[in-house]
Amino acid sequence: MKSVKRILRPLRLGIWLAVGVAAVVAAALIFTEVSRQRLVHTLRGVVLAANTDPAKQVAIPHARIVAVSRTGEVRAESDDLGYFHIALPKGLWIGESVELTFEHSGYETLQVHRRIFHQDWVARLASAPSKAAAEAQAPAVTLSDVRVRYLTKGATITAIGSMVRTFQVSNEGGVPCDGYSVCSPDGKWRGTMNGVTVDAGEGQEFRNARVSCIAGPCPFARIETDHFSRGGRVIGVAVRNWSDTVTFLLEAEVVRTSANDLVQQAYPAIFGRVISFTLPPRAQGLSFEADWNGQEITFPLGPALLLSWANCTLKVEPDQTRLYRCELKPGFRVKGS
């Protein structure tokens, strides 16, 4: 009996030791996961112009942001949409304090001191007194009926005429296939294959092409290859026939396509002193058209985005759509904005 106890004693000790190790590992994993969830590694948000009208709370690009916390000082800058992202070097616990300072010329400096959580920050900067006073004065130049003008590539389609072509697929029905190269779909009867190919000519193409069986035992013939429904300069068709001779009709319209520039006009969104609009990826020749103190004037906007009356920025979206944002310079205003 004593020998049995001697054997069981180390076994029990090993079991308790294993249980203890497992408990320590589980506690460490739980602590690590809780710590990970309670740590904040990044601060993100957006910088906007302060205004009681939400439509006039436009983004402030290139605002300077300074974050000061227990882990040190980090600097960042907002992008063209006012978005900013600050990576904290060591991370902060949820509930710790951080101080953010926002600066931009023409706006009052904003300091925010608060405890952090997993929240997005929205900073609204008020116009500096000098800028607000300048905007309150009577403007030297008034713009009205502001429009965006640009070019897109288009195509002019001119109808040339129509094409009509008949063709026959000759065969003698009722003949067993017996291993012949062309047979009926079920392999019983000997058949033939025939078709036609047509070229529309240089600079022309076929559209709305269609093929129909117009004579003979049509139920025993079928279109085998379709090179006509997609249209194009060259179209063709091949037909399998496993009965007596059938006659098919190929028809299509013939058109000529020529590339040209299409002039497009659009009215931008104007809120306060900010003009915003988007252009499709292939738009070219961007310019503004506006009534300038009673005179119609066109203002080209080249790659440098230089205008005498506004500061413009450009952001290219993932789908290559281009977002433009132009803020009026002091001394200018848009009538009715």
Side-chain angles (χ1 to χ4, degrees):
M1 188 66 177
K2 292 182 179 179
S3 59
V4 173
K5 290 182 178 179
R6 291 195 193 98
I7 296 174
L8 292 177
R9 188 177 295 115
L11 181 60
R12 291 171 182 161
L13 181 61
I15 293 173
W16 283 110
L17 181 61
V19 171
V21 171
V24 171
V25 172
L29 291 175
I30 293 173
F31 178 78
T32 301
E33 179 62 19
V34 171
S35 299
R36 185 185 68 81
Q37 293 179 358
R38 292 191 59 200
L39 275 176
V40 177
H41 296 281
T42 59
L43 302 177
R44 63 185 184 183
V46 64
V47 186
L48 305 176
N51 200 292
T52 55
D53 185 352
K56 296 181 180 180
Q57 295 180 14
V58 296
I60 300 179
H62 310 301
R64 298 174 296 278
I65 305 108
V66 180
V68 180
S69 66
R70 172 182 57 81
T71 60
E73 179 180 294
V74 184
R75 296 178 178 270
E77 184 175 290
S78 61
D79 64 12
D80 290 338
L81 293 180
Y83 175 81
F84 67 88
H85 178 276
I86 299 175
L88 300 173
K90 296 180 181 179
L92 294 176
W93 293 100
I94 288 179
E96 285 196 79
S97 297
V98 64
E99 183 178 83
L100 291 183
T101 302
F102 301 88
E103 296 180 334
H104 193 283
S105 60
Y107 294 90
E108 293 184 350
T109 299
L110 175 65
Q111 285 188 330
V112 181
H113 187 89
R114 67 174 67 166
R115 297 183 183 276
I116 63 170
F117 298 93
H118 292 292
Q119 81 270 39
D120 293 331
W121 298 64
V122 179
R124 295 177 175 87
L125 307 188
S127 297
S130 58
K131 180 180 179 181
E135 292 178 357
Q137 295 176 359
V141 177
T142 299
L143 287 79
S144 61
D145 194 24
V146 178
R147 306 176 303 280
V148 177
R149 181 181 183 274
Y150 60 96
L151 302 177
T152 58
K153 291 295 182 183
T156 299
I157 300 174
T158 305
I160 303 299
S162 61
M163 180 275 300
V164 178
R165 184 70 58 86
T166 60
F167 64 95
Q168 289 185 332
V169 187
S170 301
N171 190 52
E172 182 180 349
V175 178
C177 183
D178 292 334
Y180 192 66
S181 59
V182 180
C183 299
S184 60
D186 59 9
K188 292 182 179 180
W189 309 109
R190 178 176 296 188
T192 56
M193 193 93 67
N194 192 26
V196 64
T197 300
V198 186
D199 188 335
E202 186 68 31
Q204 301 180 158
E205 63 179 36
F206 294 110
R207 292 197 174 185
N208 300 320
R210 56 267 185 201
V211 176
S212 301
C213 182
I214 59 174
C218 294
F220 304 111
R222 75 177 187 187
I223 296 174
E224 196 71 15
T225 57
D226 175 0
H227 296 306
F228 61 89
S229 59
R230 70 181 186 279
R233 173 177 170 175
V234 178
I235 60 174
V237 61
V239 173
R240 180 190 298 265
N241 175 29
W242 58 94
S243 185
D244 293 334
T245 300
V246 291
T247 302
F248 273 74
L249 173 67
L250 171 63
E251 296 178 280
E253 282 89 44
V254 184
V255 299
R256 181 183 296 275
T257 304
S258 56
N260 62 316
D261 291 329
L262 300 178
V263 179
Q264 307 284 356
Q265 275 194 344
Y267 284 90
I270 303 175
F271 294 105
R273 301 182 59 79
V274 177
I275 302 173
S276 302
F277 61 94
T278 62
L279 291 186
R282 302 193 181 211
Q284 299 176 350
L286 172 60
S287 62
F288 280 101
E289 294 179 340
D291 186 294
W292 179 288
N293 278 352
Q295 183 179 1
E296 187 74 20
I297 297 181
T298 299
F299 306 93
L301 186 63
L305 306 180
L306 297 178
L307 286 175
S308 61
W309 47 274
N311 296 314
C312 297
T313 60
L314 166 63
K315 177 177 175 56
V316 180
E317 302 290 355
D319 62 355
Q320 300 305 304
T321 296
R322 287 175 280 170
L323 170 61
Y324 291 85
R325 178 183 179 276
C326 298
E327 184 173 2
L328 296 177
K329 294 179 180 179
F332 296 89
R333 77 179 184 97
V334 176
K335 182 179 179 180
S337 63

